[in-house]
Amino acid sequence: MALISLIVLAALAASPRPPVTGFSPAERIEILKAAGAVRRGATWVMCADDPAPVSATIRAIDLNGDGRPEAIVTERTALCAPASGWLYAVLARADNGGWQLLARGDGQLRVIGRVASGGWRDLRVTGGDAPVILRHDGQAYRPR
């Protein structure tokens, strides 16, 4: 019986974590505000100056392997990001329960690698002069 228990525990430990789920409507509003987005009618936008804004989107992804979702907010805009056509913001749940901005900029953002520094995955930003790798330094994402 003890051997079977050990095998089951080993299998559970080796199995992948369940996928990260999305955010509640209240969390989505908190995330968008923390990302610097503003409400325009029924949509939230990061580029408030754009006369034809496209609503910002939020993606839930576990960037540091703790099983809790971080948030990546993106918006397509030629006005505020003429080189890439995209704005992004990366946020994580702060110790006080709010959302902490880890990175914000223009460019197409991609998550790369499995685990990088301090357990956080690296990010790649393209769309400007040259691709930039962002690495988490323990507090925020910064160019490597």
Side-chain angles (χ1 to χ4, degrees), residues 63 100 103:
L63 293 172
Q100 175 186 0

Side-chain angles (χ1 to χ4, degrees), residues 23 59-64 66 68-72 91-92 120:
F23 302 106
R59 177 177 160 204
I61 183 168
D62 185 1
L63 293 172
N64 61 3
D66 67 356
R68 297 181 311 174
E70 282 72 48
I72 296 177
L91 302 100
W120 289 81

Side-chain angles (χ1 to χ4, degrees), residues 28-29 31-58 73-80 86-89 104-105:
R28 293 177 62 77
I29 291 171
I31 291 165
L32 290 163
K33 286 180 179 178
V38 295
R39 191 170 189 144
R40 279 254 190 104
T43 64
W44 286 84
V45 296
M46 294 171 66
C47 180
D49 296 331
D50 197 329
V54 176
S55 184
T57 60
I58 303 172
V73 181
T74 57
E75 180 180 320
R76 184 123 175 98
T77 173
L79 181 69
C80 293
W86 291 92
L87 294 176
Y88 69 85
R104 181 182 164 104

